[in-house]
């Protein structure tokens, strides 16, 4: 326990940083579930695509070292934009290819789940492909390192915890994006259409809502959020891998379930909670227990509080 | 005829819910569709709104064949429905629910909101309340008000009196009349046959997926067989 006390502030800072990445990814699970009652298990690969797009974009700049000033802002902006665009577009294609036909034919949920797992494995393997000696090989199993964009410097400390600029950036960017999304969903006409569809899709059609368009929009937004998470992940860890989405995806899914799947603010709460709990746990039992802790939470939540902390589906909460 | 349902058949799997139903509604009319449980009234309205597809027959609006127009596009053509069970968006506020009614419209709708509030003052008091927390009667008012927000040519109402106290039913029917007098054509589905027939210009009786009678509301109201079947026997009027 003494470690818990000693490391409390640094665990808190690390937990909020990784937790905000979980939260951004969790939004995609929650949005799609809210509208379609479908768990998009290929969403973790949408995140993975965002990390690769970010690594690629950073390499285009051919930086010789960490950037600063306006260059830094430009590189960060382009990386985020590329991650969001790549992931958003992939999510839209995924919906078209893997889900739409099943949905319009009224297939079972199990069919959609199997389709999701298939799409997931396919995307992982595609990103493990490498070109060498004029041939494709599925050999890209190692980490792909990214050039470091941001010189990691210590800004200030809270207790014994040191706040570094990259961690602060990840946290602030994630929170800002979630505020924007929350406003979009709660204050705009299209956002109202999404909430209405989530609550009663047949009534929404009677009001003139094009459900297919709402579904595409939902995948696009959820994908873009995962893409931003991918960009932030790369800025934070400077690397990615074909299977990077797997564990992170399950954690983000846990966050979505914990906060109440279908509930946007729940995704934020769930993400930050998972981030904090796994880091506090790691300070007590060691870092190798992080995944165990998160997955135990998933099992416990599913057993005892399947509606999550905040419960209720998208927009059904009066937010 | 403004709205024509021409010999439509609709199936759920292999079971026919509608077996060649023909209904016509003229501009400015209130037309009632009555019939027992499971007769196919709701299916008829859902088909008009494009939520069910037809195996046979056609739906026409102002002479245009809309049988294959997707449901969401029919709102812009002038059809809006307050569905059975009201279909309120429970987590949206009263005002947001009304704004969903004008989802497809561009521009300022505040005048329409005011019009709905003047028809249903109760909604104005509760405009910030979540739709799901309204009473049944208030939800019905909201469902009708929301449909009016689309400025429909034809308003489709599926059992607006369902589950309401007699006093509220009276009020709702008076408002339907008022809406009709303001120029909206109404197709009204009702179990509450006596009041629907008293209100309607014309009416159709539906039985297991077929139209078995059609006449003016008054005629049906005084018809002994209709009285026996739908008006609880021979209660003197
Ligand atoms: N989704 C469905 N799946 C299968 N059968 C259905 C479905 N909806 C309606 N039916 C069947 O179609 C027939 C007509 O139903 P419909 O709901 O149109 O009746 P209704 O006249 O509106 O009855 P009520 O007065 O009880 O509302 C019924 O036999 C019903 O069981
Ligand atoms: Mg019905």
């Amino acid at each position: 326990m003494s470690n818990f006390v000693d490391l409390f502030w640094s665990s808190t800072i690390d937990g909020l940083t990784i937790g905000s990445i979980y939260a951004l990814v969790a939004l995609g699970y929650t949005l799609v579930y809210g509208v379609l009652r479908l768990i998009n298990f290929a969403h973790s690969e949408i995140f993975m695509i965002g990390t690769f797009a970010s690594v690629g974009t950073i390499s285009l700049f051919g930086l010789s070292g960490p950037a600063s000033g306006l260059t830094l802002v430009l590189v960060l902006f382009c990386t985020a934009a590329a991650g969001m665009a790549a992931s958003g577009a992939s999510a839209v294609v995924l919906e078209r290819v893997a889900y739409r036909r099943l949905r319009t034919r009224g297939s079972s949920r199990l069919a959609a789940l199997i389709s999701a797992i298939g799409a997931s494995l396919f995307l992982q393997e595609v990103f493990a492909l490498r070109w060498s000696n004029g041939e494709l090989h599925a050999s890209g199993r190692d980490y792909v390192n990214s050039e470091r964009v941001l010189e990691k410097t210590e800004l200030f400390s809270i207790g014994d915890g040191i706040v570094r600029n990259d961690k602060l950036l990840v946290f602030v960017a994630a929170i800002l994006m979630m505020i924007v999304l929350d406003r979009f969903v709660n204050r705009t006409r299209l956002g109202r259409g999404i909430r209405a569809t989530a609550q009663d899709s047949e009534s929404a059609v009677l009001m003139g809502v094009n459900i297919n368009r709402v579904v595409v929009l939902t995948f696009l937004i959820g994908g873009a959020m995962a893409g931003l998470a991918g960009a932030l992940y790369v800025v934070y860890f400077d690397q990615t891998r074909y299977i990077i989405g797997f564990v992170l995806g399950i954690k983000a899914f846990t966050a979505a379930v914990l906060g109440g799947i279908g509930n946007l603010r729940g995704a934020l709460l769930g993400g930050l909670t998972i981030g904090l709990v796994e880091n506090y746990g790691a300070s007590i039992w060691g870092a190798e227990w992080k995944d165990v802790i998160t997955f135990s939470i998933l099992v416990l939540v599913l057993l005892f509080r399947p509606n999550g902390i905040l419960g209720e589906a998208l927009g059904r909460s009066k937010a | 005829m403004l709205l024509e349902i021409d010999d439509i058949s609709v199936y759920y799997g292999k079971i026919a819910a509608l077996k060649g139903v023909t209904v016509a509604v003229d501009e400015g009319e209130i037309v009632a569709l009555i019939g027992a449980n499971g007769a196919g009234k709701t299916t008829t309205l859902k088909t008009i709104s494009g939520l069910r597809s037809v195996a046979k027959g056609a739906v026409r609006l102002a002479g245009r064949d809309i049988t294959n127009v997707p449901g969401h596009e029919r709102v812009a053509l002038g059809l809006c429905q307050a569905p059975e069970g009201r279909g309120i968006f429970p987590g949206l506020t009263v005002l947001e629910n009304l704004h969903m009614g004008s989802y497809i419209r561009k521009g300022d709708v505040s005048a329409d909101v005011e019009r709905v509030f003047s028809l249903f003052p109760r909604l104005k008091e509760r405009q910030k309340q979540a739709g799901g927390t309204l009473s049944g009667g208030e939800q019905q008012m909201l469902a009708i008000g929301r449909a009016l927000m689309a400025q429909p040519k034809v308003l489709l109402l599926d059992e607006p009196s369902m589950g309401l106290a007699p006093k509220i039913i009276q009020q709702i029917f008076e408002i339907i009349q008022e809406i009709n007098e303001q120029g909206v054509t109404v197709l009204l589905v009702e179990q509450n046959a006596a009041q629907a027939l008293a209100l309607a210009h014309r009416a159709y009786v539906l039985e297991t997926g077929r139209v078995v009678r059609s006449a003016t509301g008054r005629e049906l109201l005084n018809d002994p067989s209709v009285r026996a079947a739908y008006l609880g026997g021979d209660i003197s009027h």
Side-chain angles (χ1 to χ4, degrees), chain B residues 12-13 15-18 35-44 52 84 158-159 162 189 191 206:
Chain B
Y12 290 108
I15 299 165
L18 301 182
N37 292 118
K41 306 179 298 294
T42 297
T43 303
T44 306
R52 300 286 177 269
E84 185 175 62
D158 196 343
E159 298 208 41
M162 197 207 289
V189 160
Q191 290 271 349
L206 217 56

Side-chain angles (χ1 to χ4, degrees), chain A residues 276-293:
Chain A
L276 287 173
V277 170
E278 78 175 13
N279 276 283
Y280 292 146
S283 72
I284 300 169
W285 295 298
E288 65 275 20
W289 287 90
K290 274 186 185 175
D291 296 355
V292 177
I293 294 164

Side-chain angles (χ1 to χ4, degrees), chain A residues 235-256:
Chain A
V235 170
Y236 186 26
F237 292 108
D238 305 308
Q239 62 181 14
T240 185
R241 200 154 88 98
Y242 77 106
I243 205 157
I244 202 77
F246 183 62
V247 170
L248 195 139
I250 302 178
K251 289 183 179 177
F253 173 68
T254 307

Side-chain angles (χ1 to χ4, degrees), chain A residues 11 14-16 18-20 22 270-280:
Chain A
S11 305
D14 289 344
L16 292 177
I18 193 70
S20 44
Y22 297 157
L272 297 181
T273 306
I274 298 281
L276 287 173
V277 170
E278 78 175 13
N279 276 283
Y280 292 146

Side-chain angles (χ1 to χ4, degrees), chain B residues 168-187:
Chain B
I168 309 282
I169 296 179
Q170 194 56 42
Q171 211 181 333
I172 297 259
F173 274 68
E174 276 162 22
I175 288 168
I176 294 171
Q177 178 131 37
E178 192 178 332
I179 291 166
N180 176 250
E181 279 160 9
Q182 291 174 9
V184 181
T185 305
V186 178
L187 177 56

